[in-house]
Amino acid sequence: PAAGIAATANQGTGTGPVGTTSAPATAERFHTVIDGDSLSRLSLRYYGTPNRWQDIFNANRDVLQGANSLRVGQRLRIP
């Protein structure tokens, strides 16, 4: 019985780091604009649909003057 308790305790301890290491998966992603990029193309690449371009635009309002104002080399946040 004591071994079973110890194994359970170790299993509980083992799940702690797993929860901690999953945090970076929710970290922000970034994309550096290259020639030919558009918000709808980035949306298609990262979300599988071109329709979420406004999410990218809204996350980058501080660096974008408009939806068509991408500049090569610009670093965009991908929410």
Side-chain angles (χ1 to χ4, degrees), residues 17-29:
V18 171
T20 305
T21 56
S22 66
T26 60
E28 284 188 294
R29 295 178 289 181

Side-chain angles (χ1 to χ4, degrees), residues 23-45:
T26 60
E28 284 188 294
R29 295 178 289 181
F30 291 89
H31 175 85
T32 302
V33 175
I34 60 171
D35 191 39
D37 276 347
S38 67
L39 291 178
S40 60
R41 284 186 184 166
L42 295 179
S43 175
L44 181 62
R45 176 178 177 179

Side-chain angles (χ1 to χ4, degrees), residues 1 3 6 8 11 17 27 40 44 49 53 61 73 78:
T8 303
Q11 288 174 355
S40 60
L44 181 62
T49 176
W53 65 269
R61 284 185 174 268
I78 306 295

